[in-house]
Amino acid sequence: MGYGRSDSYRVATSQDKDGKSSPSKKNKKGKDMDELKKEVPITEHKMSIEECCRKFNTDIVQGLTNAKAAEFLIRDGPNCLTPPPTTPEWIKFCRQLFGGFSILLWTGAILCFLAYAIQAATEDEPAGDNLYLGIVLSVVVVVTGCFSYFQEAKSSKIMESFKNMVPQQALVIREGEKMTINAEEVVAGDLVEVKGGDRIPADLRVVSAHGCKVDNSSLTGESEPQSRSPDCTHDNPLETRNVAFFSTNCVEGTARGIVVCTGDRTVMGRIATLTSGLESGKTPIAKEIEHFIHLITGVAVFLGITFFILAVCLGYTWLEAVIFLIGIIVANVPEGLLATVTVCLTLTAKRMAKKNCLVKNLEAVETLGSTSTICSDKTGTLTQNRMTVAHMWFDNQIHEADTTEDQSGASFDKTSASWAALARVAALCNRAVFKAGQDQLPILKRDTAGDASESALLKCIELSCGSVKQIREKNKKVAEIPFNSTNKYQLSVHETEDPNDNRYLLVMKGAPERILDRCTTIIIQGKEQPMDEEMKESFQNAYMELGGLGERVLGFCHLLMPEDQYPKGFAFDCDDVNFTTESLCFVGLMSMIDPPRAAVPDAVGKCRSAGIKVIMVTGDHPITAKAIAKGVGIISEGNETVEDIASHHTGSRSANSLCSLMFPLLSLSDAKACVIHGTDLKELSQDQMDDILRNHTEIVFARTSPQQKLIIVEGCQRLGAIVAVTGDGVNDSPALKKADIGVAMGISGSDVSKQAADMILLDDNFASIVTGVEEGRLIFDNLKKSIAYTLTSNIPEITPFLLFIIVNIPLPLGTITILCIDLGTDMVPAISLAYEAAESDIMKRQPRNPTRDKLVNERLISIAYGQIGMIQALGGFFSYFVILAENGFLPSILVGIRLNWDDRACNDLEDSYGQQWTYEQRKIVEFTCHTAFFVSIVVVQWADVIVCKTRRNSVFQQGMKNKILIFGLFEETALAAFLSYTPGMDVALRMFPLKPSWWFCAVPYSVLIFVYDEIRKLLIRRNPGGKWLSLSLYNI
Amino acid sequence: MSANKDGDGGWKSFLWNTERKEFLGRTGGSWFKILLFYLIFYGCLAGIFIGTIQALLLTLSNYKPTYQDRVAPPGLSHTPRSEKFEISYNVNDVETYLKYTKSIKDFLEMYDEEKQTDQNKYEDCGALPESYRDRGELESDLGARKACRFKRTWLGPCAGLDGHDENFGFKDGKPCLIAKLNRIINFRPRPPTNNASVPEAGQSRVQTNVIPIHCQNKREEDASKIGEIKYYGMGMGFPLQYYPYYGKLLHPNYLQPLVAIQFTNLTFNEDLRLECKVYGANIDYSEKDRYQGRFDVKFTITNS
């Protein structure tokens, strides 16, 4: 099975293809990827429309000629995303079959077949053991390979998911005629028209627009629609108003634009190519397994060579020695471990799925546990991804609204007459409506039609004042001026509720400072008062304060129009405004924010105490980002950013200063937190980037592009961190892919992000990551225990063969019995260790250091092989000697007896008492010994599994709460008894029934293991970090 | 652990790190402490192991193994041994049968008359089959027991004594096999209770106080090719006065009774499969064990 992330696309795109191709091509590929990581090279937005037309040989009215279009189509290729070369299924399967751990077993199997071939060629009646062993090894690898293949068979559809975003049709103007063509045929220079509801067919330079708004959420992660117009408003093509991007949505209005890029060259195309082209390295667990294989192979080869030399010295023939060599190497292969590890990971994956973390790639299960840095997207991951009214200012006071998802937060005083007025304005001067048929849903869950702020107001009023629909019905709308960017306000005129009152009510909302300018009075406690300087100042303060919280502030005012000037039936003309919009009455402010999810601050806190650095990477504005960061604890209380400190020094408290990063100030050591703007990030060199990441514990990146997200992830990885990235948008996908573990959002996440990720949070809750980290750390600890347990029994399995060779005793343990241990009795207890509870609060310790904290290190091997394993071997040998002695062969005559013992022609072999044995009679005794040795290993493994439960704590502290483990103990014992006593086993497996007393031979050794290890752990606890003891006794 | 960190350089510095004076990632002092630890650790383990083995030996009887269920019923073994159940040689080529005759000669040496002269160790048990000779309980303090003499001459032409055929008939194509019932402590073989179990040809040799042995062709088609088979030894079987056996400690000079089987007229140049069986009430045969209470051997004697 593949412990490398063999999951198709990762490796598929470049690696294996390039392996065979010339180096120049490889370089080219590398260059391409670097190129893709750079910012978008679009410059057309800075050109005038004429320049643009000239560049593409097109005409602003007529569009391209058909001939030109055809020519460009041939030159640039179709306007679609090129899928990466896909990996055939059988190659994926082979990767599972031959990757990582399996290689070890395959090598073992091949060696077995080789040994059997040698024996078959040189002996008349070759022992079948090597053949069986080879076959069993192959079967084990194939079965586990198939298992993990089907586990991970969810093939990658990264490009397909991008393709789903690509529009089908496009309306182009060629030779002056409008025509609908297949979106694939759109070429650069085409004049394209889009309207509300369309997907943009290519990257467009807008040449004219009417109320056009686009939803760029797939690129930026921010779902707020942005208006498009022909003017260049920003140097950055991603920020400017006059560029619309391939595959984004036009929400409303119409626009016309010249195509500047098509297909893979579009901004989205670049992200897609980048994402599918990225390779993330091996998972931490894959590296650990590799390291483990190195160790195991080292030990096996060392043992093999040593005994090969010994065997030759002892006078065995070369061929015999070679067969011994192979036998020893193969005996070191832990046959059952591959299956154990796979099952352990699968179990954890299942457990995590129950806790809403769906793991796509088995190995990713552990990665989250090793994670030392989490780069989290803001919108939708940390926040609820819906605007909500957070604060209100009326009666010269800031009131806090409830922003929690379940309305459990604090409420405010709703009795004030000012609030009634404010609510009325907010309800009337609002075009958002609930979509039909949702009456049974809670208000916050309902869908609305309208922009985010208006929906927020709508929900807020609906929650606190009841049906907005009724309010609107009572106050019939007479006239309306929608919001536009020059006025920066929106107003509407309504009839009053009171049928006797014939005055009209004018309500207005908009940018607070613009609204204030139009007001002469202000409502306080329901009383209209003149707007004086003092009031204006307190308004300013409130406005600044709310703005400083990263909230979007709207001002509200109204006016009851005098009946004498505007009698009933007055014709309000909204185009040529024939009524007053001045001297209004200011009602209040309302501010909105996308509030953080309730569980996030706690989760961030947990991550922090677990030593994980949480970095926010968002496409949103720095102020908002910072506010949310503070809200969720990514910037902790009392920690100040460079800018905060700077503003203290200069005494000016300007929100804008956050945006600019002042490099000299970076050296301020007391600034642990920082907010970095995307435009500044662009200027940073790699070293500066490293400095920032290294020296700040709390970092927020704002206004970042998809490429920059990737660069941030790479920066963290360069510093040795294991990086998790959470995100939901297409813009996050390169970073998700590059991350050691990409975490996508299951509900709000785009298909592309889910494809690029390794893990999906089914409930979109950042807090689930904490669960994932916990499970990941636990499985790492528990895998260590499982491996220690499994490896230990290797020694009692190898030593019999070694003594058989060296001192020529009858073979104490046969191949079949070894397989019964590795693939039979050891399995369930080893797997049960995956269910072991944590020894200490694993969320209170630092993430493991991948260079130091290994899954298997030489100390673990030293304890498993050198200490516990040796005791186990002695237990096994003791049973062996007991059985032989009780049957007449005392230990003293066994040495050197092997040649006669294994001689079929010798049927009168004398034992210590002078009795004579036929070949078959003594073989039965030998196989009874194998059975007893096997049972002894089961008995000593009882102690071993209890000992392996903990690495520091005493078993008495840990308790025996692991029910699976207790089941495992009974299961292995029952299996051993079954194998020994079932009639027919003597023929099938050459296992013979044992006399009851022989079951107890190894018990003293079992007790010895338990006592020894308890003492060892006691020493460890007494001498934390102890001196030379640690060299041999510590396995942590 | 720090092995192969940076490719080739890693290995070298792992083997011997000049900077920190580390061999295989550890300093000399560290290696010494590790070795010392393991020395003590294994020393203790060895002590414990030897202790348990001693405890085991204490539970064992000196005279008789705890369990005999695997060794009984006794095996029937023969000298010379067959290789892969086969004895084949060329009558004209001494080299081909020398190993057989030599092994018989070596085996019969301990039955030499001059070795059985010590009256303290040997006694005459008569020349005719008698019943079991009880020499007391195993655990009694009678000490070593006397053994019955067994005369080589009883084996007739197969005795290989000076002057007689020193080739045990191999040279003439009339090979001898010396058969013995495997020794088992305290085992008293009982003669067959009814004659029906013994093949007709062997029934003439059934007598009291003797465990009869009989050989015949294993395959039907060989019936006419094996010729006459002659049996030599006291009572042409295993006489009961040689039983029971008291074990190596109490019966150091014990001589188990032998039967020499001579195949006097084997057809040359053919594979002949013969099976010899002993018959007794407490003698069993096993499907899988070809030497339990019987043996079979394939003779291929060539004369060209």
Side-chain angles (χ1 to χ4, degrees):
Chain A
M1 64 172 277
Y3 275 91
R5 284 199 199 181
S6 44
D7 210 331
S8 55
Y9 55 85
R10 293 183 182 282
V11 213
T13 41
S14 54
Q15 202 181 34
D16 45 359
K17 295 282 168 192
D18 283 356
K20 289 167 200 158
S21 59
S22 61
S24 66
K25 197 175 167 192
K26 198 169 196 169
N27 289 342
K28 187 170 163 277
K29 185 86 190 179
K31 223 184 256 170
D32 282 354
M33 290 307 279
D34 287 344
E35 192 61 39
L36 284 171
K37 280 180 203 165
K38 288 202 187 116
E39 289 306 314
V40 184
I42 291 175
T43 51
E44 283 82 0
H45 63 288
K46 284 191 247 175
M47 299 180 186
S48 70
I49 293 171
E50 289 73 32
E51 275 179 284
C52 222
C53 289
R54 224 172 296 134
K55 184 176 172 190
F56 293 103
N57 291 321
T58 185
D59 185 273
I60 190 73
V61 184
Q62 298 287 316
L64 284 176
T65 61
N66 279 327
K68 270 258 154 28
E71 182 191 323
F72 286 161
L73 188 63
I74 291 163
R75 186 192 65 191
D76 296 338
N79 176 31
C80 62
L81 302 176
T82 349
T86 50
T87 328
E89 285 296 307
W90 68 269
I91 289 190
K92 288 185 210 165
F93 184 64
C94 287
R95 277 210 192 97
Q96 293 290 353
L97 221 49
F98 298 106
F101 211 102
S102 320
I103 283 296
L104 191 65
L105 295 197
W106 279 124
T107 317
I110 290 166
L111 286 177
C112 283
F113 291 131
L114 186 69
Y116 182 73
I118 295 176
Q119 283 174 319
T122 55
E123 295 169 26
D124 293 332
E125 284 182 57
D129 286 10
N130 275 319
L131 184 65
Y132 305 144
L133 187 57
I135 292 170
V136 169
L137 282 177
S138 318
V139 169
V140 168
V141 190
V142 172
V143 168
T144 3
C146 292
F147 181 76
S148 37
Y149 172 75
F150 287 115
Q151 276 285 316
E152 298 185 6
K154 302 129 198 165
S155 62
S156 150
K157 298 193 176 78
I158 210 155
M159 265 297 172
E160 280 91 290
S161 55
F162 269 107
K163 272 187 191 152
N164 291 339
M165 300 171 46
V166 175
Q168 300 291 318
Q169 305 286 321
L171 187 67
V172 297
I173 299 167
R174 285 185 185 164
E175 296 182 355
E177 275 179 57
K178 283 189 183 179
M179 48 205 277
T180 304
I181 59 168
N182 211 325
E184 283 194 1
E185 291 162 23
V186 172
V187 295
D190 258 332
L191 197 57
V192 172
E193 211 172 84
V194 290
K195 57 178 192 306
D198 284 354
R199 284 238 173 100
I200 315 276
D203 284 1
L204 299 183
R205 158 71 162 94
V206 177
V207 293
S208 65
H210 297 283
C212 175
K213 280 189 171 181
V214 292
D215 176 4
N216 271 356
S217 60
S218 56
L219 276 183
T220 59
E222 305 306 315
S223 51
E224 182 80 5
Q226 297 166 353
S227 62
R228 293 288 102 155
S229 65
D231 320 309
C232 173
T233 54
H234 205 287
D235 278 351
N236 185 342
L238 288 175
E239 303 257 358
T240 186
R241 287 265 171 81
N242 59 353
V243 179
F245 297 103
F246 181 46
S247 90
T248 58
N249 278 322
C250 178
V251 185
E252 57 182 58
T254 57
R256 197 178 266 208
I258 297 171
V259 174
V260 293
C261 298
T262 56
D264 291 334
R265 289 169 300 282
T266 61
V267 174
M268 191 60 75
R270 288 161 61 95
I271 296 178
T273 323
L274 186 58
T275 309
S276 58
L278 277 175
E279 291 158 35
S280 40
K282 283 181 184 149
T283 57
I285 195 78
K287 285 184 199 151
E288 292 304 319
I289 300 264
E290 196 169 88
H291 178 250
F292 168 61
I293 291 177
H294 282 164
L295 269 179
I296 275 288
T297 322
V299 171
V301 171
F302 170 76
L303 268 181
I305 302 282
T306 311
F307 282 87
F308 175 77
I309 295 169
L310 254 174
V312 171
C313 294
L314 283 170
Y316 287 98
T317 64
W318 283 95
L319 268 180
E320 277 175 315
V322 166
I323 287 170
F324 289 156
L325 171 76
I326 293 174
I328 290 168
I329 291 178
V330 172
N332 267 291
V333 176
E335 292 91 355
L337 203 53
L338 174 60
T340 308
V341 170
T342 312
V343 171
C344 284
L345 290 177
T346 311
L347 285 174
T348 308
K350 288 252 160 68
R351 198 154 50 187
M352 283 165 87
K354 258 187 218 152
K355 294 179 182 169
N356 290 320
C357 297
L358 185 73
V359 181
K360 283 171 59 192
N361 172 345
L362 266 193
E363 288 170 23
V365 166
E366 190 276 328
T367 313
L368 211 45
S370 319
T371 298
S372 53
T373 304
I374 297 177
C375 294
S376 178
D377 182 35
K378 178 182 78 73
T379 316
T381 311
L382 299 174
T383 66
Q384 302 168 17
N385 199 13
R386 85 193 138 78
M387 275 291 168
T388 308
V389 175
H391 293 96
M392 283 163 255
W393 182 76
F394 56 84
D395 293 346
N396 197 8
Q397 213 178 341
I398 290 177
H399 300 266
E400 203 171 314
D402 185 5
T403 54
T404 54
E405 287 130 304
D406 52 358
Q407 288 299 301
S408 57
S411 192
F412 57 95
D413 176 27
K414 289 176 185 165
T415 54
S416 166
S418 314
W419 160 245
L422 182 59
R424 187 172 64 181
V425 178
L428 295 178
C429 189
N430 190 331
R431 298 171 72 186
V433 286
F434 287 113
K435 287 184 184 161
Q438 304 187 83
D439 293 339
Q440 72 291 353
L441 284 176
I443 292 165
L444 286 176
K445 293 252 169 75
R446 290 185 204 168
D447 265 349
T448 56
D451 84 5
S453 327
E454 294 205 321
S455 305
L457 292 173
L458 175 69
K459 284 178 180 172
C460 173
I461 304 300
E462 183 94 10
L463 270 176
S464 45
C465 302
S467 171
V468 171
K469 209 172 163 192
Q470 279 174 20
I471 302 177
R472 287 184 188 163
E473 273 164 11
K474 281 183 201 156
N475 300 272
K476 272 183 89 179
K477 193 187 282 180
V478 191
E480 181 177 40
I481 301 177
F483 183 87
N484 69 48
S485 49
T486 35
N487 288 344
K488 299 218 159 153
Y489 68 76
Q490 169 186 0
L491 76 74
S492 56
V493 181
H494 298 260
E495 291 170 0
T496 55
E497 286 172 30
D498 185 355
N500 301 324
D501 189 348
N502 284 334
R503 290 178 298 178
Y504 284 104
L505 175 69
L506 182 147
V507 289
M508 182 193 269
K509 77 160 194 268
E513 65 277 8
R514 295 294 182 91
I515 298 293
L516 189 73
D517 287 347
R518 292 170 189 274
C519 291
T520 49
T521 54
I522 181 167
I523 216 166
I524 300 284
Q525 302 293 351
K527 303 271 180 341
E528 218 172 309
Q529 291 180 7
M531 175 76 81
D532 51 14
E533 280 308 310
E534 197 187 331
M535 254 325 149
K536 279 191 176 164
E537 192 169 314
S538 79
F539 159 86
Q540 269 309 332
N541 286 341
Y543 182 25
M544 287 303 301
E545 185 168 347
L546 296 176
L549 291 172
E551 297 177 4
R552 183 184 305 159
V553 191
L554 287 177
F556 296 84
C557 62
H558 69 187
L559 179 70
L560 274 173
M561 297 179 128
E563 198 178 355
D564 48 343
Q565 285 177 39
Y566 307 100
K568 190 150 179 76
F570 181 85
F572 292 94
D573 184 349
C574 294
D575 292 330
D576 182 16
V577 180
N578 61 351
F579 49 92
T580 180
T581 57
E582 304 282 324
S583 352
L584 310 175
C585 171
F586 194 84
V587 182
L589 297 171
M590 284 175 108
S591 65
M592 281 145 289
I593 198 163
D594 179 11
R597 289 166 186 273
V600 169
D602 190 38
V604 170
K606 275 187 182 160
C607 286
R608 187 146 291 154
S609 65
I612 301 170
K613 191 164 157 182
V614 184
I615 296 178
M616 183 194 277
V617 184
T618 176
D620 208 347
H621 291 280
I623 309 171
T624 323
K626 189 180 167 192
I628 296 291
K630 287 199 162 169
V632 300
I634 287 181
I635 295 181
S636 46
E637 260 175 71
N639 247 351
E640 289 179 312
T641 62
V642 179
E643 295 77 15
D644 286 338
I645 295 166
S647 67
H648 287 319
H649 282 296
T650 55
S652 71
R653 190 178 153 79
S654 154
N656 290 339
S657 71
L658 286 169
C659 309
S660 57
L661 181 78
M662 287 174 267
F663 289 113
L665 292 175
L666 268 179
S667 55
L668 283 174
S669 57
D670 42 350
K672 284 281 166 233
C674 70
V675 179
I676 293 164
H677 195 282
T679 43
D680 299 320
L681 188 61
K682 220 188 293 179
E683 323 270 291
L684 291 180
S685 70
Q686 211 171 64
D687 290 342
Q688 285 169 322
M689 177 85 184
D690 289 356
D691 276 344
I692 291 175
L693 291 172
R694 201 179 293 128
N695 295 331
H696 294 82
T697 49
E698 303 174 344
I699 311 176
V700 172
F701 290 97
R703 294 312 270 176
T704 48
S705 67
Q707 281 85 354
Q708 286 175 331
K709 291 191 178 195
L710 178 63
I711 288 167
I712 294 165
V713 171
E714 285 177 335
C716 294
Q717 288 176 330
R718 206 166 40 240
L719 296 181
I722 291 177
V723 185
V725 170
T726 66
D728 56 352
V730 176
N731 60 325
D732 300 316
S733 54
L736 285 172
K737 182 81 179 295
K738 181 68 196 175
D740 294 286
I741 176 165
V743 184
M745 298 296 141
I747 304 170
S748 62
S750 57
D751 274 1
V752 178
S753 68
K754 287 185 202 169
Q755 287 295 340
D758 305 293
M759 202 174 106
I760 295 167
L761 297 184
L762 295 176
D763 57 355
D764 281 20
N765 192 345
F766 184 80
S768 307
I769 290 183
V770 178
T771 321
V773 170
E774 203 169 348
E775 290 291 347
R777 290 187 174 187
L778 188 59
I779 195 61
F780 187 81
D781 279 8
N782 285 347
L783 267 186
K784 220 177 212 184
K785 296 172 185 174
S786 278
I787 291 178
Y789 172 79
T790 315
L791 284 188
T792 309
S793 61
N794 246 3
I795 285 296
E797 286 164 9
I798 299 171
T799 40
F801 189 56
L802 299 184
L803 287 188
F804 169 75
I805 297 171
I806 301 303
V807 294
N808 285 318
I809 54 174
L811 186 64
L813 187 68
T815 312
I816 292 171
T817 30
I818 289 178
L819 289 177
C820 286
I821 296 164
D822 283 349
L823 300 175
T825 56
D826 264 6
M827 286 298 254
V828 178
I831 291 167
S832 76
L833 284 171
Y835 289 92
E836 195 56 37
E839 265 174 83
S840 52
D841 194 344
I842 42 178
M843 292 306 278
K844 287 265 156 58
R845 65 180 195 219
Q846 294 293 304
R848 75 184 179 93
N849 179 337
T851 52
R852 273 193 293 113
D853 306 335
K854 291 289 183 187
L855 181 66
V856 175
N857 55 26
E858 80 277 17
R859 276 168 302 175
L860 187 147
I861 299 254
S862 150
I863 289 176
Y865 276 12
Q867 297 166 29
I868 310 291
M870 284 300 175
I871 304 180
Q872 293 197 333
L874 291 186
F877 274 105
F878 181 61
S879 323
Y880 164 82
F881 283 128
V882 165
I883 289 178
L884 282 175
E886 294 196 334
N887 274 293
F889 292 94
L890 297 184
S892 49
I893 72 152
L894 288 177
V895 175
I897 207 177
R898 180 175 81 87
L899 274 183
N900 283 326
W901 184 279
D902 287 338
D903 182 1
R904 279 177 186 277
C906 174
N907 284 293
D908 51 358
L909 185 72
E910 250 181 72
D911 65 14
S912 307
Y913 292 92
Q915 303 188 104
Q916 291 169 323
W917 294 72
T918 69
Y919 176 81
E920 207 57 44
Q921 284 169 341
R922 59 183 189 258
K923 276 290 158 181
I924 288 177
V925 173
E926 182 187 322
F927 292 135
T928 312
C929 286
H930 293 183
T931 315
F933 208 112
F934 158 74
V935 164
S936 300
I937 292 180
V938 170
V939 169
V940 286
Q941 286 285 67
W942 292 342
D944 194 31
V945 75
I946 292 171
V947 154
C948 285
K949 268 166 68 80
T950 58
R951 296 192 291 132
R952 275 182 67 85
N953 287 356
S954 159
V955 176
F956 301 106
Q957 291 168 317
Q958 180 83 351
M960 288 291 285
K961 287 174 213 127
N962 187 344
K963 291 202 185 85
I964 311 282
L965 188 138
I966 292 171
F967 166 77
L969 286 175
F970 284 106
E971 186 266 354
E972 66 171 332
T973 314
L975 183 59
F978 173 84
L979 288 176
S980 168
Y981 293 114
T982 308
M985 278 299 168
D986 51 344
V987 183
L989 298 176
R990 290 194 293 190
M991 289 176 108
F992 288 83
L994 297 183
K995 300 199 190 294
S997 63
W998 292 339
W999 280 76
F1000 298 98
C1001 297
V1003 170
Y1005 291 90
S1006 208
V1007 174
L1008 178 65
I1009 289 174
F1010 181 77
V1011 172
Y1012 169 73
D1013 213 68
E1014 279 296 318
I1015 293 172
R1016 183 179 72 87
K1017 284 173 191 154
L1018 183 73
L1019 287 176
I1020 293 174
R1021 289 197 299 275
R1022 286 277 166 81
N1023 312 293
K1027 289 161 241 152
W1028 73 274
L1029 270 178
S1030 68
L1031 300 172
S1032 46
L1033 295 180
Y1034 281 41
N1035 64 352
I1036 34 180
Chain B
M1 182 160 76
S2 50
N4 49 31
K5 226 181 242 166
D6 315 300
D8 350 311
W11 266 111
K12 253 187 215 162
S13 72
F14 175 68
L15 264 178
W16 173 248
N17 186 336
T18 30
E19 257 172 64
R20 289 187 283 172
K21 297 212 180 328
E22 283 176 354
F23 173 68
L24 293 175
R26 291 185 188 281
T27 59
S30 159
W31 274 114
F32 173 74
K33 282 169 185 164
I34 282 237
L35 291 179
L36 186 71
F37 169 80
Y38 273 105
L39 200 67
I40 296 171
F41 181 76
Y42 288 144
C44 292
L45 278 192
I48 291 171
F49 187 68
I50 290 167
T52 51
I53 290 286
Q54 288 303 327
L56 157 73
L57 294 180
L58 286 179
T59 67
L60 297 178
S61 149
N62 285 331
Y63 311 111
K64 184 175 174 276
T66 319
Y67 302 109
Q68 289 182 298
D69 51 346
R70 291 297 183 204
V71 73
L76 183 68
S77 52
H78 58 88
T79 313
R81 288 174 186 170
S82 56
E83 267 164 30
K84 298 186 185 113
F85 314 105
E86 193 176 313
I87 291 178
S88 64
Y89 69 95
N90 188 330
V91 285
N92 300 325
D93 187 355
V94 183
E95 290 296 313
T96 57
Y97 60 81
L98 192 63
K99 57 183 177 204
Y100 299 124
T101 53
K102 187 176 181 304
S103 81
I104 299 178
K105 203 178 278 170
D106 291 347
F107 174 71
L108 287 179
E109 255 172 34
M110 61 181 159
Y111 287 86
D112 283 348
E113 206 126 347
E114 54 270 29
K115 289 194 176 147
Q116 304 180 23
T117 48
D118 192 339
Q119 288 297 332
N120 294 326
K121 291 177 182 165
Y122 296 97
E123 61 180 359
D124 276 322
C125 300
L128 290 171
E130 289 170 25
S131 185
Y132 309 109
R133 186 155 293 215
D134 203 330
R135 297 171 199 272
E137 288 291 303
L138 268 182
E139 309 282 337
S140 66
D141 35 49
L142 290 169
R145 317 294 154 88
K146 284 184 178 172
C148 289
R149 291 203 175 90
F150 190 91
K151 299 213 164 87
R152 251 178 104 164
T153 48
W154 293 338
L155 299 179
C158 295
L161 290 171
D162 299 334
H164 288 75
D165 182 8
E166 285 188 42
N167 292 313
F168 304 97
F170 277 78
K171 195 183 173 188
D172 313 319
K174 299 175 177 171
C176 291
L177 282 187
I178 312 291
K180 63 180 184 296
L181 206 52
N182 278 353
R183 291 196 296 251
I184 294 172
I185 292 172
N186 254 351
F187 181 76
R188 294 163 192 246
R190 289 204 304 278
T193 42
N194 61 336
N195 289 350
S197 60
V198 187
E200 250 174 72
Q203 287 202 355
S204 58
R205 279 177 286 115
V206 175
Q207 48 184 305
T208 50
N209 296 332
V210 167
I211 305 293
I213 181 167
H214 181 74
C215 298
Q216 60 185 29
N217 51 313
K218 184 143 187 172
R219 295 178 302 192
E220 280 300 316
E221 61 264 35
D222 292 343
S224 58
K225 298 171 186 163
I226 56 170
E228 194 193 356
I229 300 170
K230 284 185 175 159
Y231 304 87
Y232 301 99
M234 190 199 290
M236 289 183 282
F238 303 102
L240 295 186
Q241 68 258 47
Y242 288 85
Y243 299 95
Y245 172 52
Y246 278 79
K248 206 175 181 178
L249 194 66
L250 297 178
H251 231 160
N253 305 301
Y254 177 75
L255 292 171
Q256 59 205 110
L258 304 177
V259 174
I261 306 159
Q262 190 171 29
F263 305 93
T264 54
N265 197 11
L266 290 174
T267 313
F268 287 177
N269 303 322
E270 291 229 31
D271 285 353
L272 300 173
R273 297 195 57 169
L274 291 152
E275 186 184 51
C276 298
K277 259 180 156 174
V278 282
Y279 299 90
N282 57 355
I283 285 176
D284 261 323
Y285 316 104
S286 150
E287 279 284 307
K288 288 173 72 192
D289 191 350
R290 298 215 251 178
Y291 283 89
Q292 187 176 303
R294 61 171 174 145
F295 63 76
D296 60 272
V297 66
K298 189 170 84 184
F299 273 104
T300 313
I301 304 172
T302 50
N303 61 353
S304 54

